[in-house]
Amino acid sequence: MSRRLALSVMSLALSLPLSARADEGMWMPSQLPELSTQLQAAGFRSDPRALADVTRPPLSAVVKIGGATGSFVSPDGLLLTNHHVAYGVIQYNTKPGANLIDDGFVSHSRSEELPSNPDFRVLVTTAFDKVTDQVLAAAKGKTGKAYYAAVDTASKQLVAQCEAEGGVRCSVANMYYGSDFYLIKQLELRDIRLVYAPPRAIGNYGDEIDNFMWPRHSGDFTVLRAYVGKDGKPADYSPDNVPYRAPAFLKIATDGPKAGDFAMLAGYPGITYRHRTAAEFASQVGHTLPQRVALLDTLIEAIEQRGKASAESRTRYASQLASLKNNRKRAAGELEGLQRSDAVRLREQDERAMLAATKGSEARSIAQLQQILAEGSAMGDRDVLLGLIATQTQLMRSALMLERLREESRKPDAQRETGYQQRDQALIEGVLKQVQRRFDADTEKTLLTLLLGRYQQLPKDQRVPEFDAAFGRDADSLKAALDTLYANTTLGTEAERLARFAAAREGKPLAADALIDLAVKLVPAQIRLDDARKDREGEQLRLRPAYMRALFAWRKQQGRAVYPDANSTLRVSYGQVTPLNPRDAVSYAPVTTVAGIVEKNTNVEPFDAPKPLLTAIAKGVYAGTEDPALKTQTVNFLTNLDTTGGNSGSPVLNARGELIGLNFDSNWESVSASWWYDPRYKRAIHVDTRYIRWLMDKVYPAPDLLREMGVPAQSTGPSR
Amino acid sequence: MSRRLALSVMSLALSLPLSARADEGMWMPSQLPELSTQLQAAGFRSDPRALADVTRPPLSAVVKIGGATGSFVSPDGLLLTNHHVAYGVIQYNTKPGANLIDDGFVSHSRSEELPSNPDFRVLVTTAFDKVTDQVLAAAKGKTGKAYYAAVDTASKQLVAQCEAEGGVRCSVANMYYGSDFYLIKQLELRDIRLVYAPPRAIGNYGDEIDNFMWPRHSGDFTVLRAYVGKDGKPADYSPDNVPYRAPAFLKIATDGPKAGDFAMLAGYPGITYRHRTAAEFASQVGHTLPQRVALLDTLIEAIEQRGKASAESRTRYASQLASLKNNRKRAAGELEGLQRSDAVRLREQDERAMLAATKGSEARSIAQLQQILAEGSAMGDRDVLLGLIATQTQLMRSALMLERLREESRKPDAQRETGYQQRDQALIEGVLKQVQRRFDADTEKTLLTLLLGRYQQLPKDQRVPEFDAAFGRDADSLKAALDTLYANTTLGTEAERLARFAAAREGKPLAADALIDLAVKLVPAQIRLDDARKDREGEQLRLRPAYMRALFAWRKQQGRAVYPDANSTLRVSYGQVTPLNPRDAVSYAPVTTVAGIVEKNTNVEPFDAPKPLLTAIAKGVYAGTEDPALKTQTVNFLTNLDTTGGNSGSPVLNARGELIGLNFDSNWESVSASWWYDPRYKRAIHVDTRYIRWLMDKVYPAPDLLREMGVPAQSTGPSR
């Protein structure tokens, strides 16, 4: 009976207009009070003003961990983040006889908590101040590269002043594409310890096969604890350190999410392109992405062909091949998604209406911006090809990198190009050392033949005299050039590379070599192209604010606020627990249960749930953590929250601001969401906090930790 | 709002008890009046008594076509069946310049209707009478092989008498495993013409990729017309023939199916094993299927390995490999499904309860049956291996077949083993002729080494002296035997095989040859094993009725009727249009729409919908055929109707007995339904009649045909 009812209502849901209300938006916390009405309408049951200040509770509980997000869940510095975010820490502590990756880890007392790898950091935001006037003061009246340099110099000065007090990391964040700048001060916690991790087969259940997939069944969480020196200040690891007194911590919800519930999330999304121009959208879909897919296909095909002929090449290029394939998959997914959402047309419609309402000097600035963007876009093919030549090769890349390092090292450190400063030298050395394991001359020549062959086909205005001179204008001269270069270079030998590295970091000339001599000719061209790019970027920085002002005005007419595109600063999004109807007649419920683990389990990685978990599921004994309607233990849930890379580990909160989940992935259909939020397809995937509680209570018990997190624990478990 | 409601109700549906009411049952039409209450409760709105007689309307409209089903839809012999059922007819008419497979076919007048391949037949049932007493009269008091022979002889006599009048095909159907026998008389229509077929990319949209899949988007239908001689009697094709006056035809519904609607289906399901014993279930799941999967894996692996070394072997074994993989996939799917449904345990519980209620001589007969089945099962491994040796080889198979043919051909035709009678000789000749395209000595020796190697590992009581003598008892002697045989046989030459075929069909001795000499030794053993099998089958035929009587009694106690297992006779099943929740959090709506065609379309076969279809979808102009709730054109729908192989083309009817669809496939989860109907997973997939109407009205118009089928046509289209 209820089944039949469900169906007819479901059919209705499927036929809802596609333009249903978007829960789009990665809001700066300071914007939330002005969104009060919308938040309340969406179901939020607290005061949005409490969320406005990122340096005060509850948002001060949300921290940056690596490139991702975490949150404090106890006054004594307990942190919750994803298993995949803390994976390096787990790996660092995996040793013969202690396989923490496979077996997981439960600390039974604070003394058992394990140190993390020394470069692992947690950043707690302590100040977040608008500095637009200071940053732009010297830029006023300038254009192009000079505008860019003025902004860069002012920002570096602010950062230097801010960091002078020590123990903090400062940065300047550019909001709304050069419209506003904020100085962010963050406490840099350096002693982070591993407290609790589930086995890999829980924390990463399904691995690559389930990656981007829903329905999902992953326990992607880990518990860490931050420590500081006895003086309360950030310190390197020491057994004498004490738990950090967190400025705020989140309350764990006792009930869980169900379809339609309000949900919100705070975290550090990396980068989005939502407010790019219609022309940039059109170029991305009409040119950049299809070209990227085709180009990557060619490279993949070439490496695979070589791999068939040579087992050694197959081994050496396995990792590069996997990475190319992953990039190819993402590019194709982004393209598919943008086409499915008809994003180019919709963005174009929207921009046309906006421009119709924009007059005078603003309109002229926007026209100038469009011109600059078109110029950059016209050079796009060349920039992609030269970029791949410098990144998808080993010896060529080494030669270019060494010569550029030599050139930059002649300047004072602060004036050197990013990537070639003193702090970057260890990374460069690492790249030079790993060549041996990743290089095969024939494969590299094949890749360069493909890339430079395409370069040769470019129209004259995109070509570069130094490259033309080096490789000629046709296939024969290219072949001859590459044959000569690779027959005569000694860079295949590690000692030869490292000897030149020692010279380059001192700014001294490099010993002669076929590829180094080539790099001496090409690097000046690269620097010239970089300068032209900075000139265009300076113009964009100067002109995009006009575009944004037009957008603000247009959105205001529509009764909508504008969030800044993501830039790795703290953002909040809100929405609902939401099902997904990805295709005709297919509907995914927004909450999964442990039944799905059993269904997927093959006992073969990555579907090899540990015995204790399977036993616990079979027993069906929960910890007050089962869903009252589903009458079983839930695992993951789905929302329409607006997220992107960097939101891993973001706490998901209910209408009362309590922690109901941990963000850890998106669905495949939302790969294109970095450009376009489509409410039909954009979903975020979360671990249900009830699953975490159940695992920590009944499967791998840690009752003391649960109690520290303010959660009633049923099991007595081993005492901590 | 309605979306949110849908979700919470959906969650409820997902947590429904798993033992929800089963719509299991392939009923003999004569049983339907006694199911009147259940039918009405399910939503049927006509008189079930009208369905009781298969020789009267409406069921006399349902005919057998090839191994499948079709139905009359006009008084002038128009027939509706699946595109894949009529595929041979379409292929037969595909010629240079007329690619009916790719382009489809629309006849514009009766004179344009195209003849089918000469062996294509439509069977109209004209009599269906119980003959249990006649069949069993001579068997009474006999056992084993004698019982089997008595039943066989009596059946053959009945068939011969029945067919004496000519133009009809008769058969005896065994219902309830020897409990009842029916004599079926069918008019054999031999002039069937192609009237309308959609292009392959509609009729088989999705092909192998979508095979067994839901959601589905296939227009798997074709329209044929039956013709007879001017005297109204079945006749071979002749331009002078006239349309057959169908004894009944189905009315096309004007509205369509939606979730929860009553649906019923009539057709010719091939074979099911639902009433097999618990021990047979246990053996199937615990032994037969896993062993089949493992054995097929070994053969597949061996053929693929050889294929890597030899392109010729790869080509010659491509079709055998595809078939082995398909069998392997089905066996694995059946195993997976039976395990998922916990069928062994449930069947065992059910049987235990039944046996507890069974006493006296019935109980003793059942015990005897169990004993006989156990004996057969104990020989199962050997029978599988010897079967594969005789079917998965080319030269070995030819030798065994030739020698057996020679042996059988010495008897009067009627006494020969099925498969070796005169009417089978063309088939045998075909097999002998295709050897050249499918044979490679090394591959065949590898396969035989695997199969005979496993045979050698069998316990003594399963081994056969003649095989032991021929191949020895270890790997060395097996290798020596095979090397000698294949070095010395001349059967690799077609002329050598056909010369022996000419002798064998006359019962004359065959010219000497290594493999023929071996066959002379092995065939007597095969005949001996056949005899033992017939002895066991005779006992089953004698004893299974006791098991069935116990089942009838037990089901009566439960208030349930018993349908006979499927045996290619006309059956009716009823149920509802039903969604599918195949996995945790996954829900499939029971009706698909044209939006799904566009979503799936890649323009690459098999997702290469023809331009006229895509244009029509984009236009969104329907023919009163769109779904009023979904507001778009539907394509396929899903029911819980009980079907199996042979139900292809079965008409699906609504509560008023009108045609709403055409059955054409099942979902992957119901591969195991031949043994066990699990209401959670068993679904049948149908073409929505509204899609057929729309295609015939707006996409490839045939308005005259629609009018002949009693459907209002909007398009004027080319006149017929």
Side-chain angles (χ1 to χ4, degrees), chain A residues 2 4 6-7 9-10 16 215 217 259-260 579 583-589 591-593 596 599, chain B residues 2-4 6-7 9-10 215 217 259-260 579 583-589 592-593 596 599:
Chain A
S2 60
R4 199 182 292 192
L7 292 167
V9 181
M10 221 173 70
L16 267 184
H217 299 87
R583 289 180 301 285
D584 184 41
V586 178
S587 175
Y588 297 139
V591 181
T592 62
T593 73
E599 285 170 4
Chain B
S2 61
R3 192 190 219 176
R4 199 181 292 192
L7 292 166
V9 181
M10 221 174 71
H217 299 86
R583 290 180 300 284
D584 183 41
V586 178
S587 176
Y588 297 139
T592 62
T593 74
E599 285 169 3

Tab-separated table of all heavy atoms in Angstrom, chain A residues 2 4 6-7 9-10 16 215 217 259-260 579 583-589 591-593 596 599, chain B residues 2-4 6-7 9-10 215 217 259-260 579 583-589 592-593 596 599:
chain	number	residue	atom	x	y	z
A	2	SER	N	1.736	1.348	1.027
A	2	SER	CA	2.606	2.509	1.092
A	2	SER	C	3.579	2.467	-0.084
A	2	SER	O	4.018	3.478	-0.584
A	2	SER	CB	3.390	2.516	2.397
A	2	SER	OG	4.170	1.353	2.482
A	4	ARG	N	2.889	1.486	-3.158
A	4	ARG	CA	2.237	2.019	-4.332
A	4	ARG	C	2.182	3.546	-4.269
A	4	ARG	O	2.469	4.236	-5.221
A	4	ARG	CB	0.818	1.442	-4.440
A	4	ARG	CG	0.250	1.571	-5.827
A	4	ARG	CD	-1.144	1.038	-5.894
A	4	ARG	NE	-1.210	-0.405	-5.721
A	4	ARG	CZ	-2.324	-1.104	-5.984
A	4	ARG	NH1	-3.400	-0.490	-6.411
A	4	ARG	NH2	-2.343	-2.392	-5.805
A	6	ALA	N	4.233	5.427	-2.682
A	6	ALA	CA	5.583	5.944	-2.890
A	6	ALA	C	5.851	6.143	-4.368
A	6	ALA	O	6.432	7.125	-4.788
A	6	ALA	CB	6.600	4.970	-2.312
A	7	LEU	N	5.386	5.214	-5.167
A	7	LEU	CA	5.701	5.251	-6.583
A	7	LEU	C	5.057	6.406	-7.288
A	7	LEU	O	5.683	7.110	-8.055
A	7	LEU	CB	5.232	3.961	-7.204
A	7	LEU	CG	6.097	2.866	-6.656
A	7	LEU	CD1	5.482	1.543	-6.977
A	7	LEU	CD2	7.463	3.018	-7.261
A	9	VAL	N	4.048	9.139	-6.082
A	9	VAL	CA	4.626	10.398	-5.637
A	9	VAL	C	6.026	10.545	-6.239
A	9	VAL	O	6.449	11.620	-6.648
A	9	VAL	CB	4.675	10.468	-4.106
A	9	VAL	CG1	5.261	11.788	-3.669
A	9	VAL	CG2	3.276	10.320	-3.539
A	10	MET	N	6.737	9.435	-6.328
A	10	MET	CA	8.074	9.476	-6.903
A	10	MET	C	8.030	9.965	-8.345
A	10	MET	O	8.861	10.746	-8.767
A	10	MET	CB	8.696	8.096	-6.869
A	10	MET	CG	10.145	8.119	-6.486
A	10	MET	SD	10.715	6.432	-6.270
A	10	MET	CE	10.686	5.896	-7.975
A	16	LEU	N	9.414	17.091	-11.616
A	16	LEU	CA	9.546	18.462	-11.106
A	16	LEU	C	10.276	19.313	-12.128
A	16	LEU	O	11.153	18.827	-12.822
A	16	LEU	CB	10.390	18.457	-9.823
A	16	LEU	CG	9.665	18.364	-8.497
A	16	LEU	CD1	10.670	18.468	-7.364
A	16	LEU	CD2	8.641	19.489	-8.363
A	215	PRO	N	25.190	5.197	-4.701
A	215	PRO	CA	25.288	5.070	-3.243
A	215	PRO	C	26.689	4.643	-2.778
A	215	PRO	O	27.350	3.858	-3.441
A	215	PRO	CB	24.281	3.971	-2.917
A	215	PRO	CG	23.418	3.836	-4.125
A	215	PRO	CD	24.241	4.230	-5.271
A	217	HIS	N	29.435	3.706	0.691
A	217	HIS	CA	29.449	3.012	1.990
A	217	HIS	C	30.821	3.090	2.641
A	217	HIS	O	31.404	2.081	3.021
A	217	HIS	CB	29.013	1.557	1.804
A	217	HIS	CG	27.622	1.419	1.265
A	217	HIS	ND1	27.327	1.420	-0.081
A	217	HIS	CD2	26.416	1.324	1.901
A	217	HIS	CE1	26.019	1.309	-0.262
A	217	HIS	NE2	25.441	1.260	0.921
A	259	ALA	N	15.969	12.546	4.559
A	259	ALA	CA	15.648	13.302	3.351
A	259	ALA	C	14.891	14.578	3.683
A	259	ALA	O	13.924	14.564	4.451
A	259	ALA	CB	14.825	12.445	2.401
A	260	GLY	N	15.320	15.682	3.110
A	260	GLY	CA	14.632	16.952	3.289
A	260	GLY	C	15.140	17.778	4.451
A	260	GLY	O	14.810	18.967	4.557
A	579	PRO	N	17.882	13.502	-2.374
A	579	PRO	CA	18.149	12.333	-3.216
A	579	PRO	C	18.745	12.775	-4.545
A	579	PRO	O	18.883	13.959	-4.805
A	579	PRO	CB	16.766	11.724	-3.433
A	579	PRO	CG	15.827	12.878	-3.316
A	579	PRO	CD	16.453	13.823	-2.332
A	583	ARG	N	19.530	9.866	-13.863
A	583	ARG	CA	19.144	9.463	-15.213
A	583	ARG	C	17.675	9.069	-15.204
A	583	ARG	O	17.100	8.810	-14.151
A	583	ARG	CB	19.980	8.253	-15.670
A	583	ARG	CG	21.431	8.573	-15.970
A	583	ARG	CD	22.207	7.344	-16.420
A	583	ARG	NE	22.208	6.274	-15.441
A	583	ARG	CZ	22.911	6.252	-14.331
A	583	ARG	NH1	23.686	7.276	-14.033
A	583	ARG	NH2	22.845	5.243	-13.506
A	584	ASP	N	17.129	8.964	-16.405
A	584	ASP	CA	15.738	8.561	-16.568
A	584	ASP	C	15.440	7.307	-15.749
A	584	ASP	O	16.118	6.282	-15.901
A	584	ASP	CB	15.477	8.273	-18.056
A	584	ASP	CG	14.016	7.946	-18.331
A	584	ASP	OD1	13.144	8.605	-17.740
A	584	ASP	OD2	13.768	7.034	-19.147
A	585	ALA	N	14.454	7.408	-14.865
A	585	ALA	CA	13.942	6.280	-14.075
A	585	ALA	C	14.881	5.802	-12.973
A	585	ALA	O	14.603	4.824	-12.303
A	585	ALA	CB	13.554	5.098	-14.961
A	586	VAL	N	16.008	6.499	-12.778
A	586	VAL	CA	16.945	6.103	-11.724
A	586	VAL	C	16.848	7.093	-10.575
A	586	VAL	O	16.946	8.294	-10.778
A	586	VAL	CB	18.390	6.068	-12.243
A	586	VAL	CG1	19.357	5.691	-11.126
A	586	VAL	CG2	18.507	5.094	-13.408
A	587	SER	N	16.664	6.563	-9.373
A	587	SER	CA	16.558	7.419	-8.200
A	587	SER	C	17.402	6.848	-7.075
A	587	SER	O	17.314	5.656	-6.777
A	587	SER	CB	15.086	7.496	-7.782
A	587	SER	OG	14.968	8.222	-6.581
A	588	TYR	N	18.256	7.688	-6.509
A	588	TYR	CA	19.082	7.244	-5.393
A	588	TYR	C	18.597	7.894	-4.109
A	588	TYR	O	18.510	9.126	-4.024
A	588	TYR	CB	20.548	7.610	-5.618
A	588	TYR	CG	21.180	6.942	-6.817
A	588	TYR	CD1	22.042	7.629	-7.654
A	588	TYR	CD2	20.922	5.598	-7.106
A	588	TYR	CE1	22.630	7.012	-8.747
A	588	TYR	CE2	21.505	4.976	-8.194
A	588	TYR	CZ	22.352	5.692	-9.018
A	588	TYR	OH	22.937	5.087	-10.093
A	589	ALA	N	18.302	7.079	-3.116
A	589	ALA	CA	17.919	7.615	-1.812
A	589	ALA	C	19.128	8.319	-1.214
A	589	ALA	O	20.269	7.974	-1.509
A	589	ALA	CB	17.440	6.492	-0.902
A	591	VAL	N	20.257	8.389	1.872
A	591	VAL	CA	20.908	7.797	3.037
A	591	VAL	C	21.198	6.324	2.743
A	591	VAL	O	20.308	5.606	2.270
A	591	VAL	CB	20.014	7.913	4.294
A	591	VAL	CG1	20.712	7.313	5.510
A	591	VAL	CG2	19.658	9.375	4.571
A	592	THR	N	22.429	5.878	2.972
A	592	THR	CA	22.743	4.458	2.778
A	592	THR	C	22.850	3.748	4.130
A	592	THR	O	23.003	4.396	5.163
A	592	THR	CB	24.058	4.249	2.012
A	592	THR	OG1	25.141	4.804	2.781
A	592	THR	CG2	24.008	4.913	0.650
A	593	THR	N	22.767	2.434	4.074
A	593	THR	CA	22.780	1.650	5.313
A	593	THR	C	23.824	0.532	5.219
A	593	THR	O	24.345	0.247	4.138
A	593	THR	CB	21.406	1.002	5.559
A	593	THR	OG1	21.234	-0.082	4.623
A	593	THR	CG2	20.262	2.004	5.376
A	596	GLY	N	24.109	-2.188	2.485
A	596	GLY	CA	24.860	-1.955	1.260
A	596	GLY	C	26.299	-2.453	1.346
A	596	GLY	O	26.889	-2.856	0.343
A	599	GLU	N	26.034	-6.104	0.687
A	599	GLU	CA	25.743	-6.328	-0.735
A	599	GLU	C	26.978	-6.169	-1.605
A	599	GLU	O	27.206	-6.933	-2.535
A	599	GLU	CB	24.686	-5.324	-1.220
A	599	GLU	CG	23.277	-5.617	-0.779
A	599	GLU	CD	22.330	-4.455	-1.081
A	599	GLU	OE1	22.766	-3.448	-1.697
A	599	GLU	OE2	21.162	-4.554	-0.694
B	2	SER	N	6.448	18.177	-2.728
B	2	SER	CA	6.084	16.803	-3.076
B	2	SER	C	7.347	15.950	-3.141
B	2	SER	O	7.337	14.771	-2.876
B	2	SER	CB	5.368	16.774	-4.418
B	2	SER	OG	6.221	17.277	-5.418
B	3	ARG	N	8.465	16.592	-3.484
B	3	ARG	CA	9.722	15.871	-3.543
B	3	ARG	C	10.097	15.333	-2.169
B	3	ARG	O	10.470	14.184	-2.004
B	3	ARG	CB	10.794	16.862	-3.999
B	3	ARG	CG	12.086	16.200	-4.385
B	3	ARG	CD	13.132	17.265	-4.571
B	3	ARG	NE	13.993	16.972	-5.694
B	3	ARG	CZ	14.936	17.794	-6.111
B	3	ARG	NH1	15.113	18.946	-5.530
B	3	ARG	NH2	15.703	17.458	-7.116
B	4	ARG	N	9.976	16.205	-1.184
B	4	ARG	CA	10.339	15.793	0.158
B	4	ARG	C	9.449	14.641	0.635
B	4	ARG	O	9.923	13.668	1.193
B	4	ARG	CB	10.215	16.992	1.104
B	4	ARG	CG	10.979	16.779	2.379
B	4	ARG	CD	10.828	17.943	3.319
B	4	ARG	NE	11.467	19.160	2.825
B	4	ARG	CZ	11.646	20.233	3.600
B	4	ARG	NH1	11.267	20.223	4.850
B	4	ARG	NH2	12.197	21.306	3.103
B	6	ALA	N	7.960	12.494	-1.213
B	6	ALA	CA	8.315	11.288	-1.953
B	6	ALA	C	9.418	10.531	-1.240
B	6	ALA	O	9.397	9.317	-1.131
B	6	ALA	CB	8.773	11.653	-3.360
B	7	LEU	N	10.385	11.293	-0.732
B	7	LEU	CA	11.537	10.642	-0.145
B	7	LEU	C	11.216	9.889	1.118
B	7	LEU	O	11.654	8.765	1.318
B	7	LEU	CB	12.572	11.702	0.150
B	7	LEU	CG	13.057	12.202	-1.175
B	7	LEU	CD1	13.809	13.472	-0.976
B	7	LEU	CD2	13.910	11.124	-1.793
B	9	VAL	N	8.449	8.695	2.044
B	9	VAL	CA	7.635	7.520	1.758
B	9	VAL	C	8.496	6.450	1.093
B	9	VAL	O	8.364	5.267	1.360
B	9	VAL	CB	6.445	7.903	0.848
B	9	VAL	CG1	5.600	6.669	0.577
B	9	VAL	CG2	5.592	8.951	1.535
B	10	MET	N	9.437	6.905	0.265
B	10	MET	CA	10.328	5.958	-0.401
B	10	MET	C	11.138	5.174	0.617
B	10	MET	O	11.320	3.977	0.498
B	10	MET	CB	11.276	6.713	-1.318
B	10	MET	CG	11.489	6.020	-2.603
B	10	MET	SD	12.474	7.071	-3.660
B	10	MET	CE	14.041	6.970	-2.838
B	215	PRO	N	17.144	0.769	-15.945
B	215	PRO	CA	16.160	1.264	-16.926
B	215	PRO	C	16.559	0.966	-18.374
B	215	PRO	O	17.715	0.987	-18.726
B	215	PRO	CB	16.142	2.772	-16.695
B	215	PRO	CG	16.832	3.002	-15.392
B	215	PRO	CD	17.774	1.877	-15.210
B	217	HIS	N	15.468	1.233	-22.748
B	217	HIS	CA	14.871	2.164	-23.739
B	217	HIS	C	14.832	1.538	-25.121
B	217	HIS	O	15.312	2.120	-26.088
B	217	HIS	CB	15.659	3.479	-23.739
B	217	HIS	CG	15.640	4.186	-22.422
B	217	HIS	ND1	16.537	3.917	-21.408
B	217	HIS	CD2	14.791	5.127	-21.927
B	217	HIS	CE1	16.251	4.677	-20.358
B	217	HIS	NE2	15.200	5.417	-20.638
B	259	ALA	N	2.838	2.993	-12.194
B	259	ALA	CA	3.199	2.214	-11.010
B	259	ALA	C	1.960	1.758	-10.256
B	259	ALA	O	1.058	2.546	-10.001
B	259	ALA	CB	4.097	3.048	-10.106
B	260	GLY	N	1.936	0.482	-9.902
B	260	GLY	CA	0.858	-0.054	-9.098
B	260	GLY	C	-0.294	-0.623	-9.905
B	260	GLY	O	-1.130	-1.340	-9.354
B	579	PRO	N	8.187	-0.916	-9.292
B	579	PRO	CA	9.572	-0.413	-9.356
B	579	PRO	C	10.544	-1.495	-8.889
B	579	PRO	O	10.130	-2.584	-8.482
B	579	PRO	CB	9.567	0.760	-8.380
B	579	PRO	CG	8.507	0.404	-7.383
B	579	PRO	CD	7.465	-0.378	-8.139
B	583	ARG	N	19.445	-2.489	-4.930
B	583	ARG	CA	20.536	-2.392	-3.962
B	583	ARG	C	20.236	-1.274	-2.985
B	583	ARG	O	19.378	-0.435	-3.230
B	583	ARG	CB	21.859	-2.070	-4.685
B	583	ARG	CG	22.399	-3.211	-5.523
B	583	ARG	CD	23.709	-2.834	-6.205
B	583	ARG	NE	23.548	-1.686	-7.084
B	583	ARG	CZ	22.977	-1.722	-8.293
B	583	ARG	NH1	22.476	-2.860	-8.747
B	583	ARG	NH2	22.887	-0.632	-9.018
B	584	ASP	N	20.981	-1.265	-1.923
B	584	ASP	CA	20.826	-0.243	-0.904
B	584	ASP	C	20.793	1.145	-1.533
B	584	ASP	O	21.711	1.518	-2.268
B	584	ASP	CB	21.995	-0.339	0.088
B	584	ASP	CG	21.870	0.649	1.245
B	584	ASP	OD1	20.750	0.830	1.753
B	584	ASP	OD2	22.896	1.225	1.638
B	585	ALA	N	19.721	1.884	-1.276
B	585	ALA	CA	19.568	3.293	-1.691
B	585	ALA	C	19.326	3.474	-3.188
B	585	ALA	O	19.252	4.591	-3.666
B	585	ALA	CB	20.758	4.150	-1.258
B	586	VAL	N	19.214	2.367	-3.943
B	586	VAL	CA	18.984	2.483	-5.382
B	586	VAL	C	17.538	2.122	-5.683
B	586	VAL	O	17.058	1.070	-5.268
B	586	VAL	CB	19.918	1.550	-6.176
B	586	VAL	CG1	19.619	1.656	-7.669
B	586	VAL	CG2	21.370	1.892	-5.888
B	587	SER	N	16.845	2.996	-6.403
B	587	SER	CA	15.461	2.745	-6.745
B	587	SER	C	15.242	3.075	-8.213
B	587	SER	O	15.634	4.141	-8.680
B	587	SER	CB	14.578	3.619	-5.849
B	587	SER	OG	13.232	3.460	-6.230
B	588	TYR	N	14.649	2.128	-8.935
B	588	TYR	CA	14.354	2.355	-10.336
B	588	TYR	C	12.852	2.504	-10.518
B	588	TYR	O	12.083	1.629	-10.124
B	588	TYR	CB	14.854	1.186	-11.199
B	588	TYR	CG	16.349	0.988	-11.176
B	588	TYR	CD1	16.897	-0.286	-11.120
B	588	TYR	CD2	17.221	2.069	-11.217
B	588	TYR	CE1	18.271	-0.474	-11.109
B	588	TYR	CE2	18.590	1.899	-11.206
B	588	TYR	CZ	19.112	0.620	-11.151
B	588	TYR	OH	20.472	0.442	-11.132
B	589	ALA	N	12.446	3.609	-11.140
B	589	ALA	CA	11.039	3.807	-11.446
B	589	ALA	C	10.624	2.773	-12.493
B	589	ALA	O	11.447	2.322	-13.293
B	589	ALA	CB	10.817	5.222	-11.964
B	592	THR	N	10.025	4.122	-18.154
B	592	THR	CA	11.071	4.991	-18.703
B	592	THR	C	10.486	5.889	-19.785
B	592	THR	O	9.416	5.616	-20.317
B	592	THR	CB	12.231	4.197	-19.307
B	592	THR	OG1	11.746	3.401	-20.395
B	592	THR	CG2	12.873	3.289	-18.275
B	593	THR	N	11.223	6.949	-20.091
B	593	THR	CA	10.735	7.933	-21.067
B	593	THR	C	11.795	8.180	-22.136
B	593	THR	O	12.948	7.780	-21.987
B	593	THR	CB	10.412	9.268	-20.374
B	593	THR	OG1	11.641	9.925	-20.045
B	593	THR	CG2	9.592	9.064	-19.109
B	596	GLY	N	15.454	9.295	-21.581
B	596	GLY	CA	16.533	8.328	-21.365
B	596	GLY	C	17.249	7.943	-22.652
B	596	GLY	O	18.438	7.621	-22.636
B	599	GLU	N	19.674	10.719	-23.177
B	599	GLU	CA	20.763	10.623	-22.203
B	599	GLU	C	21.773	9.541	-22.581
B	599	GLU	O	22.974	9.718	-22.436
B	599	GLU	CB	20.204	10.281	-20.817
B	599	GLU	CG	19.515	11.413	-20.110
B	599	GLU	CD	18.748	10.941	-18.865
B	599	GLU	OE1	18.817	9.722	-18.543
B	599	GLU	OE2	18.094	11.763	-18.250
